[in-house]
Amino acid sequence: GAVVSQHPSWVICKSGTSVKIECRSLDFQATTMFWYRQFPKQSLMLMATSNEGSKATYEQGVEKDKFLINHASLTLSTLTVTSAHPEDSSFYICSAAGTGVTDTQYFGPGTRLTVL
Amino acid sequence: EDQVTQSPEALRLQEGESSSLNCSYTVSGLRGLFWYRQDPGKGPEFLFTLYSAGEEKEKERLKATLTKKESFLHITAPKPEDSATYLCAVNQAGTALIFGKGTTLSVSS
Protein backbone atom coordinates (compact mmCIF):
# COMPACT_ATOMS: atom_id res chain seq x y z
CA GLY A 1 0.00 0.00 0.00
CA ALA A 2 0.81 3.73 0.03
CA VAL A 3 2.10 3.99 -3.52
CA VAL A 4 2.76 7.36 -5.13
CA SER A 5 3.53 7.73 -8.82
CA GLN A 6 5.00 10.60 -10.80
CA HIS A 7 4.92 11.31 -14.49
CA PRO A 8 7.08 11.86 -16.39
CA SER A 9 10.13 10.29 -14.78
CA TRP A 10 12.37 12.57 -16.81
CA VAL A 11 11.87 15.47 -19.18
CA ILE A 12 14.12 17.64 -21.32
CA CYS A 13 12.78 20.96 -22.55
CA LYS A 14 13.95 24.16 -24.15
CA SER A 15 14.37 27.35 -22.17
CA GLY A 16 11.16 29.37 -22.04
CA THR A 17 8.77 26.45 -22.30
CA SER A 18 6.48 25.14 -19.56
CA VAL A 19 6.57 21.66 -18.11
CA LYS A 20 3.85 19.87 -16.14
CA ILE A 21 4.63 17.10 -13.66
CA GLU A 22 1.87 14.87 -12.28
CA CYS A 23 1.81 13.23 -8.89
CA ARG A 24 -0.77 10.56 -8.06
CA SER A 25 -1.53 8.59 -4.93
CA LEU A 26 -2.55 5.20 -6.31
CA ASP A 27 -4.06 3.37 -3.35
CA PHE A 28 -5.01 6.01 -0.81
CA GLN A 29 -6.59 9.43 -0.69
CA ALA A 30 -4.09 12.18 -0.03
CA THR A 31 -5.47 15.15 1.82
CA THR A 32 -2.10 16.86 1.63
CA MET A 33 0.57 16.70 -1.05
CA PHE A 34 4.03 18.18 -0.99
CA TRP A 35 6.50 19.19 -3.68
CA TYR A 36 10.26 19.08 -3.12
CA ARG A 37 13.30 19.71 -5.22
CA GLN A 38 16.65 18.09 -4.67
CA PHE A 39 20.03 19.14 -5.98
CA PRO A 40 22.89 16.63 -6.36
CA LYS A 41 24.22 15.32 -3.06
CA GLN A 42 21.85 17.54 -1.09
CA SER A 43 18.78 16.80 0.96
CA LEU A 44 15.21 17.54 -0.04
CA MET A 45 14.05 21.15 -0.09
CA LEU A 46 10.35 21.69 0.44
CA MET A 47 8.83 23.95 -2.19
CA ALA A 48 5.14 23.94 -1.33
CA THR A 49 2.35 22.21 0.51
CA SER A 50 -1.04 21.74 -1.06
CA ASN A 51 -4.37 20.61 0.27
CA GLU A 52 -7.07 19.26 -1.98
CA GLY A 53 -9.30 22.01 -3.28
CA SER A 54 -7.34 24.93 -1.84
CA LYS A 55 -4.40 27.06 -2.84
CA ALA A 56 -0.91 25.81 -2.19
CA THR A 57 1.28 27.25 0.54
CA TYR A 58 4.72 28.09 -0.80
CA GLU A 59 7.95 28.13 1.17
CA GLN A 60 9.90 31.32 1.45
CA GLY A 61 11.88 32.05 -1.69
CA VAL A 62 9.79 29.86 -3.98
CA GLU A 63 8.07 31.84 -6.74
CA LYS A 64 4.43 30.83 -6.81
CA ASP A 65 3.92 32.33 -10.27
CA LYS A 66 6.74 30.22 -11.63
CA PHE A 67 5.87 26.95 -9.91
CA LEU A 68 2.13 26.51 -10.30
CA ILE A 69 0.59 23.81 -8.13
CA ASN A 70 -2.87 22.37 -8.55
CA HIS A 71 -4.38 19.80 -6.19
CA ALA A 72 -7.70 19.18 -7.89
CA SER A 73 -8.54 15.83 -6.33
CA LEU A 74 -7.58 13.61 -3.42
CA THR A 75 -5.35 11.54 -5.69
CA LEU A 76 -3.78 14.04 -8.07
CA SER A 77 -1.53 17.07 -7.75
CA THR A 78 0.35 18.78 -10.58
CA LEU A 79 3.38 21.04 -10.61
CA THR A 80 3.85 23.26 -13.65
CA VAL A 81 7.21 24.92 -14.12
CA THR A 82 6.42 27.96 -16.24
CA SER A 83 8.94 29.60 -18.57
CA ALA A 84 11.60 27.17 -17.48
CA HIS A 85 15.25 28.21 -17.46
CA PRO A 86 18.43 26.15 -17.03
CA GLU A 87 18.60 27.03 -13.34
CA ASP A 88 15.29 25.22 -12.87
CA SER A 89 16.97 21.96 -13.84
CA SER A 90 16.67 19.69 -10.84
CA PHE A 91 15.11 16.55 -9.40
CA TYR A 92 11.51 17.21 -8.39
CA ILE A 93 9.84 14.85 -5.94
CA CYS A 94 6.29 14.83 -4.68
CA SER A 95 4.93 13.21 -1.56
CA ALA A 96 1.46 12.50 -0.29
CA ALA A 97 0.06 12.24 3.21
CA GLY A 98 -3.25 10.72 4.17
CA THR A 99 -4.75 12.97 6.76
CA GLY A 100 -2.63 16.08 7.11
CA VAL A 101 0.69 17.78 7.56
CA THR A 102 1.86 15.55 10.42
CA ASP A 103 0.91 12.25 8.83
CA THR A 104 3.49 9.92 7.31
CA GLN A 105 4.51 11.12 3.86
CA TYR A 106 4.96 8.66 1.01
CA PHE A 107 7.17 9.81 -1.81
CA GLY A 108 6.96 9.45 -5.54
CA PRO A 109 9.91 8.24 -7.62
CA GLY A 110 10.84 11.75 -8.71
CA THR A 111 11.09 13.63 -12.02
CA ARG A 112 14.40 14.70 -13.49
CA LEU A 113 13.96 18.03 -15.31
CA THR A 114 16.66 19.28 -17.65
CA VAL A 115 16.21 22.69 -19.25
CA LEU A 116 18.44 23.39 -22.23
CA GLU B 1 20.62 26.45 13.40
CA ASP B 2 20.29 22.82 12.44
CA GLN B 3 17.18 21.22 13.86
CA VAL B 4 17.96 17.75 12.55
CA THR B 5 21.54 16.53 12.41
CA GLN B 6 22.57 13.17 11.03
CA SER B 7 25.89 11.49 11.62
CA PRO B 8 28.08 10.29 10.17
CA GLU B 9 27.71 11.88 6.74
CA ALA B 10 29.13 8.76 5.14
CA LEU B 11 29.71 5.26 6.42
CA ARG B 12 31.53 2.39 4.77
CA LEU B 13 30.95 -1.12 6.09
CA GLN B 14 31.97 -4.61 5.16
CA GLU B 15 29.17 -7.05 4.56
CA GLY B 16 28.07 -8.42 7.92
CA GLU B 17 29.60 -5.54 9.90
CA SER B 18 26.80 -4.12 12.07
CA SER B 19 26.63 -0.41 12.88
CA SER B 20 24.32 2.46 13.77
CA LEU B 21 23.32 5.75 12.18
CA ASN B 22 22.43 8.70 14.38
CA CYS B 23 19.79 11.40 14.05
CA SER B 24 19.72 14.10 16.70
CA TYR B 25 17.01 16.73 16.82
CA THR B 26 16.33 19.95 18.69
CA VAL B 27 12.72 20.62 17.76
CA SER B 28 10.15 21.05 20.49
CA GLY B 29 6.76 19.45 20.42
CA LEU B 30 7.86 16.48 18.32
CA ARG B 31 4.92 14.89 16.55
CA GLY B 32 6.86 12.15 14.80
CA LEU B 33 10.30 11.07 13.61
CA PHE B 34 10.62 9.39 10.24
CA TRP B 35 13.32 7.30 8.60
CA TYR B 36 13.54 7.00 4.82
CA ARG B 37 15.91 5.25 2.46
CA GLN B 38 16.85 6.93 -0.81
CA ASP B 39 18.63 5.28 -3.72
CA PRO B 40 20.38 7.47 -6.32
CA GLY B 41 17.94 9.03 -8.76
CA LYS B 42 14.87 7.84 -6.86
CA GLY B 43 12.43 9.22 -4.36
CA PRO B 44 12.74 8.38 -0.65
CA GLU B 45 11.27 5.07 0.44
CA PHE B 46 9.46 5.07 3.78
CA LEU B 47 10.98 2.88 6.48
CA PHE B 48 9.69 3.82 9.94
CA THR B 49 7.71 6.33 11.96
CA LEU B 50 8.45 6.74 15.67
CA TYR B 51 6.23 8.83 17.90
CA SER B 52 7.46 8.60 21.48
CA ALA B 53 10.66 8.06 23.45
CA GLY B 54 11.37 4.40 24.05
CA GLU B 55 9.61 3.27 20.92
CA GLU B 56 11.39 0.76 18.67
CA LYS B 57 10.52 -0.63 15.25
CA GLU B 58 12.16 -3.33 13.16
CA LYS B 59 12.16 -4.33 9.53
CA GLU B 60 14.46 -7.05 8.30
CA ARG B 61 18.03 -5.95 9.15
CA LEU B 62 16.97 -2.49 10.31
CA LYS B 63 15.89 -1.38 13.76
CA ALA B 64 14.96 2.17 14.67
CA THR B 65 14.90 3.53 18.22
CA LEU B 66 13.90 6.89 19.67
CA THR B 67 14.91 8.89 22.74
CA LYS B 68 13.94 12.42 23.71
CA LYS B 69 16.88 13.88 21.81
CA GLU B 70 17.88 11.40 19.13
CA SER B 71 17.08 8.37 17.09
CA PHE B 72 19.28 5.51 15.99
CA LEU B 73 18.96 3.32 12.95
CA HIS B 74 20.73 0.07 13.70
CA ILE B 75 21.80 -2.08 10.78
CA THR B 76 22.52 -5.68 11.65
CA ALA B 77 24.73 -7.78 9.36
CA PRO B 78 24.27 -5.43 6.39
CA LYS B 79 24.36 -6.61 2.80
CA PRO B 80 25.50 -4.69 -0.31
CA GLU B 81 21.85 -4.05 -1.22
CA ASP B 82 21.52 -1.97 1.96
CA SER B 83 23.77 0.64 0.36
CA ALA B 84 21.78 3.88 0.08
CA THR B 85 21.32 7.27 1.68
CA TYR B 86 19.28 7.13 4.86
CA LEU B 87 17.27 10.22 5.66
CA CYS B 88 15.85 11.23 9.01
CA ALA B 89 13.00 13.74 9.28
CA VAL B 90 10.91 15.19 12.09
CA ASN B 91 7.75 17.21 12.29
CA GLN B 92 6.39 19.53 14.91
CA ALA B 93 2.81 20.44 15.43
CA GLY B 94 1.48 22.15 12.34
CA THR B 95 4.66 22.03 10.29
CA ALA B 96 5.91 19.97 7.41
CA LEU B 97 8.82 17.56 7.63
CA ILE B 98 12.26 18.87 8.55
CA PHE B 99 14.92 16.70 6.96
CA GLY B 100 18.46 16.00 7.99
CA LYS B 101 21.17 15.90 5.33
CA GLY B 102 21.33 12.13 5.35
CA THR B 103 23.91 9.41 5.89
CA THR B 104 25.27 7.68 2.81
CA LEU B 105 25.92 4.03 3.57
CA SER B 106 28.15 1.86 1.42
CA VAL B 107 28.35 -1.87 2.12
CA SER B 108 30.99 -3.85 0.31
CA SER B 109 31.10 -7.61 -0.10
Side-chain angles (χ1 to χ4, degrees):
Chain A
V3 178
V4 177
S5 70
Q6 272 184 252
H7 178 80
S9 56
W10 59 270
V11 57
I12 301 173
C13 69
K14 292 182 178 180
S15 185
T17 61
S18 295
V19 174
K20 180 184 284 188
I21 303 170
E22 290 188 351
C23 176
R24 294 181 184 272
S25 57
L26 299 185
D27 52 2
F28 68 103
Q29 293 186 326
T31 304
T32 308
M33 287 185 165
F34 306 83
W35 288 95
Y36 296 82
R37 64 188 298 183
Q38 186 175 35
F39 293 104
K41 298 189 184 299
Q42 294 188 23
S43 194
L44 287 77
M45 183 188 82
L46 179 66
M47 299 175 65
T49 303
S50 73
N51 290 291
E52 183 263 340
S54 60
K55 290 184 178 181
T57 301
Y58 292 81
E59 294 299 300
Q60 191 173 10
V62 177
E63 299 176 59
K64 60 181 178 182
D65 294 330
K66 181 169 188 60
F67 298 100
L68 301 179
I69 292 172
N70 183 277
H71 191 165
S73 77
L74 287 172
T75 60
L76 173 64
S77 177
T78 60
L79 168 67
T80 301
V81 183
T82 62
S83 186
H85 288 93
E87 57 266 31
D88 298 323
S89 298
S90 188
F91 191 53
Y92 292 87
I93 312 173
C94 73
S95 70
T99 57
V101 172
T102 58
D103 199 10
T104 297
Q105 292 183 33
Y106 297 93
F107 286 82
T111 297
R112 172 73 58 192
L113 170 64
T114 302
V115 185
L116 303 177
Chain B
E1 68 193 43
D2 287 335
Q3 295 178 289
V4 180
T5 304
Q6 292 189 244
S7 61
E9 289 186 14
L11 180 62
R12 292 183 178 274
L13 299 174
Q14 290 290 324
E15 184 173 4
E17 180 186 1
S18 302
S19 188
S20 296
L21 312 182
N22 177 265
C23 172
S24 63
Y25 59 93
T26 56
V27 298
S28 59
L30 180 74
R31 293 291 292 271
L33 184 140
F34 304 83
W35 281 99
Y36 291 89
R37 167 193 170 128
Q38 186 175 25
D39 293 298
K42 297 187 178 180
E45 173 191 347
F46 171 71
L47 295 174
F48 304 108
T49 306
L50 301 168
Y51 292 105
S52 57
E55 189 174 1
E56 298 183 352
K57 289 190 176 176
E58 288 187 69
K59 179 182 179 181
E60 297 180 351
R61 295 178 293 280
L62 300 176
K63 178 180 177 180
T65 61
L66 180 65
T67 71
K68 289 186 177 180
K69 294 184 178 181
E70 59 190 350
S71 176
F72 291 94
L73 183 66
H74 307 277
I75 303 177
T76 302
K79 298 181 178 181
E81 52 263 41
D82 295 322
S83 298
T85 296
Y86 291 85
L87 298 170
C88 169
V90 300
N91 62 26
Q92 306 167 268
T95 70
L97 289 180
I98 304 169
F99 278 90
K101 294 181 178 180
T103 293
T104 299
L105 173 66
S106 299
V107 182
S108 55
S109 56

